[in-house]
PDB file of all heavy atoms in Angstrom:
ATOM      1  N   ALA A  28     160.012  34.534 -55.549  1.00  0.00           N
ATOM      2  CA  ALA A  28     159.063  34.639 -54.432  1.00  0.00           C
ATOM      3  C   ALA A  28     157.691  35.047 -54.954  1.00  0.00           C
ATOM      4  O   ALA A  28     156.652  34.507 -54.497  1.00  0.00           O
ATOM      5  CB  ALA A  28     159.556  35.601 -53.406  1.00  0.00           C
ATOM      6  N   MET A  29     157.665  35.994 -55.878  1.00  0.00           N
ATOM      7  CA  MET A  29     156.360  36.436 -56.424  1.00  0.00           C
ATOM      8  C   MET A  29     155.677  35.305 -57.211  1.00  0.00           C
ATOM      9  O   MET A  29     154.479  35.099 -57.055  1.00  0.00           O
ATOM     10  CB  MET A  29     156.655  37.675 -57.361  1.00  0.00           C
ATOM     11  CG  MET A  29     157.133  38.901 -56.619  1.00  0.00           C
ATOM     12  SD  MET A  29     157.890  40.129 -57.740  1.00  0.00           S
ATOM     13  CE  MET A  29     156.449  40.908 -58.462  1.00  0.00           C
ATOM     14  N   VAL A  30     156.466  34.603 -58.031  1.00  0.00           N
ATOM     15  CA  VAL A  30     155.879  33.540 -58.787  1.00  0.00           C
ATOM     16  C   VAL A  30     155.356  32.408 -57.917  1.00  0.00           C
ATOM     17  O   VAL A  30     154.261  31.902 -58.049  1.00  0.00           O
ATOM     18  CB  VAL A  30     156.935  32.963 -59.825  1.00  0.00           C
ATOM     19  CG1 VAL A  30     156.425  31.690 -60.492  1.00  0.00           C
ATOM     20  CG2 VAL A  30     157.254  34.042 -60.867  1.00  0.00           C
ATOM     21  N   LEU A  31     156.196  32.038 -56.954  1.00  0.00           N
ATOM     22  CA  LEU A  31     155.792  30.945 -56.044  1.00  0.00           C
ATOM     23  C   LEU A  31     154.540  31.309 -55.285  1.00  0.00           C
ATOM     24  O   LEU A  31     153.623  30.461 -55.117  1.00  0.00           O
ATOM     25  CB  LEU A  31     156.978  30.666 -55.020  1.00  0.00           C
ATOM     26  CG  LEU A  31     156.739  29.507 -54.142  1.00  0.00           C
ATOM     27  CD1 LEU A  31     156.701  28.184 -54.914  1.00  0.00           C
ATOM     28  CD2 LEU A  31     157.821  29.403 -53.091  1.00  0.00           C
ATOM     29  N   PHE A  32     154.438  32.550 -54.821  1.00  0.00           N
ATOM     30  CA  PHE A  32     153.254  33.035 -54.101  1.00  0.00           C
ATOM     31  C   PHE A  32     152.030  32.862 -54.988  1.00  0.00           C
ATOM     32  O   PHE A  32     150.995  32.341 -54.556  1.00  0.00           O
ATOM     33  CB  PHE A  32     153.444  34.496 -53.648  1.00  0.00           C
ATOM     34  CG  PHE A  32     152.165  35.050 -53.035  1.00  0.00           C
ATOM     35  CD1 PHE A  32     151.925  34.909 -51.697  1.00  0.00           C
ATOM     36  CD2 PHE A  32     151.240  35.700 -53.793  1.00  0.00           C
ATOM     37  CE1 PHE A  32     150.725  35.429 -51.106  1.00  0.00           C
ATOM     38  CE2 PHE A  32     150.080  36.234 -53.294  1.00  0.00           C
ATOM     39  CZ  PHE A  32     149.837  36.060 -51.929  1.00  0.00           C
ATOM     40  N   ALA A  33     152.171  33.350 -56.213  1.00  0.00           N
ATOM     41  CA  ALA A  33     150.996  33.342 -57.154  1.00  0.00           C
ATOM     42  C   ALA A  33     150.516  31.905 -57.439  1.00  0.00           C
ATOM     43  O   ALA A  33     149.336  31.589 -57.368  1.00  0.00           O
ATOM     44  CB  ALA A  33     151.388  34.105 -58.418  1.00  0.00           C
ATOM     45  N   VAL A  34     151.480  31.064 -57.737  1.00  0.00           N
ATOM     46  CA  VAL A  34     151.103  29.667 -58.094  1.00  0.00           C
ATOM     47  C   VAL A  34     150.493  28.951 -56.913  1.00  0.00           C
ATOM     48  O   VAL A  34     149.499  28.266 -57.023  1.00  0.00           O
ATOM     49  CB  VAL A  34     152.361  28.901 -58.642  1.00  0.00           C
ATOM     50  CG1 VAL A  34     152.011  27.451 -58.862  1.00  0.00           C
ATOM     51  CG2 VAL A  34     152.821  29.521 -59.973  1.00  0.00           C
ATOM     52  N   THR A  35     151.095  29.166 -55.746  1.00  0.00           N
ATOM     53  CA  THR A  35     150.550  28.539 -54.497  1.00  0.00           C
ATOM     54  C   THR A  35     149.151  29.062 -54.260  1.00  0.00           C
ATOM     55  O   THR A  35     148.225  28.251 -53.892  1.00  0.00           O
ATOM     56  CB  THR A  35     151.414  28.892 -53.329  1.00  0.00           C
ATOM     57  OG1 THR A  35     152.798  28.567 -53.605  1.00  0.00           O
ATOM     58  CG2 THR A  35     151.003  28.143 -52.027  1.00  0.00           C
ATOM     59  N   THR A  36     148.905  30.330 -54.478  1.00  0.00           N
ATOM     60  CA  THR A  36     147.564  30.876 -54.250  1.00  0.00           C
ATOM     61  C   THR A  36     146.567  30.226 -55.243  1.00  0.00           C
ATOM     62  O   THR A  36     145.421  29.923 -54.851  1.00  0.00           O
ATOM     63  CB  THR A  36     147.548  32.442 -54.420  1.00  0.00           C
ATOM     64  OG1 THR A  36     148.600  32.974 -53.629  1.00  0.00           O
ATOM     65  CG2 THR A  36     146.260  33.037 -54.013  1.00  0.00           C
ATOM     66  N   PHE A  37     146.993  30.043 -56.475  1.00  0.00           N
ATOM     67  CA  PHE A  37     146.061  29.416 -57.448  1.00  0.00           C
ATOM     68  C   PHE A  37     145.719  27.940 -56.988  1.00  0.00           C
ATOM     69  O   PHE A  37     144.569  27.525 -57.129  1.00  0.00           O
ATOM     70  CB  PHE A  37     146.691  29.278 -58.860  1.00  0.00           C
ATOM     71  CG  PHE A  37     146.813  30.649 -59.505  1.00  0.00           C
ATOM     72  CD1 PHE A  37     147.850  30.931 -60.412  1.00  0.00           C
ATOM     73  CD2 PHE A  37     145.857  31.643 -59.343  1.00  0.00           C
ATOM     74  CE1 PHE A  37     147.939  32.181 -61.073  1.00  0.00           C
ATOM     75  CE2 PHE A  37     145.946  32.876 -59.954  1.00  0.00           C
ATOM     76  CZ  PHE A  37     146.971  33.120 -60.798  1.00  0.00           C
ATOM     77  N   VAL A  38     146.712  27.288 -56.457  1.00  0.00           N
ATOM     78  CA  VAL A  38     146.506  25.906 -56.000  1.00  0.00           C
ATOM     79  C   VAL A  38     145.452  25.916 -54.854  1.00  0.00           C
ATOM     80  O   VAL A  38     144.521  25.111 -54.801  1.00  0.00           O
ATOM     81  CB  VAL A  38     147.809  25.251 -55.537  1.00  0.00           C
ATOM     82  CG1 VAL A  38     147.524  23.895 -54.823  1.00  0.00           C
ATOM     83  CG2 VAL A  38     148.708  25.002 -56.702  1.00  0.00           C
ATOM     84  N   ILE A  39     145.615  26.935 -53.924  1.00  0.00           N
ATOM     85  CA  ILE A  39     144.730  27.001 -52.792  1.00  0.00           C
ATOM     86  C   ILE A  39     143.306  27.322 -53.274  1.00  0.00           C
ATOM     87  O   ILE A  39     142.316  26.755 -52.792  1.00  0.00           O
ATOM     88  CB  ILE A  39     145.236  28.074 -51.786  1.00  0.00           C
ATOM     89  CG1 ILE A  39     146.498  27.600 -51.162  1.00  0.00           C
ATOM     90  CG2 ILE A  39     144.188  28.402 -50.721  1.00  0.00           C
ATOM     91  CD1 ILE A  39     147.254  28.676 -50.358  1.00  0.00           C
ATOM     92  N   PHE A  40     143.175  28.289 -54.214  1.00  0.00           N
ATOM     93  CA  PHE A  40     141.877  28.578 -54.780  1.00  0.00           C
ATOM     94  C   PHE A  40     141.264  27.371 -55.476  1.00  0.00           C
ATOM     95  O   PHE A  40     140.057  27.110 -55.318  1.00  0.00           O
ATOM     96  CB  PHE A  40     141.998  29.760 -55.835  1.00  0.00           C
ATOM     97  CG  PHE A  40     141.910  31.127 -55.205  1.00  0.00           C
ATOM     98  CD1 PHE A  40     142.885  32.068 -55.415  1.00  0.00           C
ATOM     99  CD2 PHE A  40     140.771  31.505 -54.456  1.00  0.00           C
ATOM    100  CE1 PHE A  40     142.786  33.347 -54.864  1.00  0.00           C
ATOM    101  CE2 PHE A  40     140.618  32.765 -53.923  1.00  0.00           C
ATOM    102  CZ  PHE A  40     141.670  33.705 -54.112  1.00  0.00           C
ATOM    103  N   ARG A  41     142.061  26.662 -56.145  1.00  0.00           N
ATOM    104  CA  ARG A  41     141.534  25.476 -56.906  1.00  0.00           C
ATOM    105  C   ARG A  41     140.918  24.506 -55.965  1.00  0.00           C
ATOM    106  O   ARG A  41     139.765  24.026 -56.143  1.00  0.00           O
ATOM    107  CB  ARG A  41     142.664  24.857 -57.659  1.00  0.00           C
ATOM    108  CG  ARG A  41     142.371  23.474 -58.225  1.00  0.00           C
ATOM    109  CD  ARG A  41     142.291  23.470 -59.704  1.00  0.00           C
ATOM    110  NE  ARG A  41     141.953  22.156 -60.221  1.00  0.00           N
ATOM    111  CZ  ARG A  41     141.996  21.859 -61.464  1.00  0.00           C
ATOM    112  NH1 ARG A  41     142.314  22.747 -62.375  1.00  0.00           N
ATOM    113  NH2 ARG A  41     141.676  20.657 -61.925  1.00  0.00           N
ATOM    114  N   PHE A  42     141.572  24.227 -54.843  1.00  0.00           N
ATOM    115  CA  PHE A  42     141.044  23.257 -53.925  1.00  0.00           C
ATOM    116  C   PHE A  42     140.012  23.897 -52.969  1.00  0.00           C
ATOM    117  O   PHE A  42     139.070  23.258 -52.539  1.00  0.00           O
ATOM    118  CB  PHE A  42     142.208  22.579 -53.129  1.00  0.00           C
ATOM    119  CG  PHE A  42     142.943  21.658 -54.040  1.00  0.00           C
ATOM    120  CD1 PHE A  42     144.131  22.009 -54.653  1.00  0.00           C
ATOM    121  CD2 PHE A  42     142.476  20.338 -54.260  1.00  0.00           C
ATOM    122  CE1 PHE A  42     144.803  21.151 -55.493  1.00  0.00           C
ATOM    123  CE2 PHE A  42     143.190  19.453 -55.083  1.00  0.00           C
ATOM    124  CZ  PHE A  42     144.331  19.862 -55.722  1.00  0.00           C
TER     125      PHE A  42
END
Side-chain angles (χ1 to χ4, degrees):
Chain A
M29 294 162 75
V30 171
L31 185 66
F32 174 87
V34 173
T35 307
T36 307
F37 289 149
V38 172
I39 292 168
F40 272 125
R41 167 111 181 187
F42 288 96

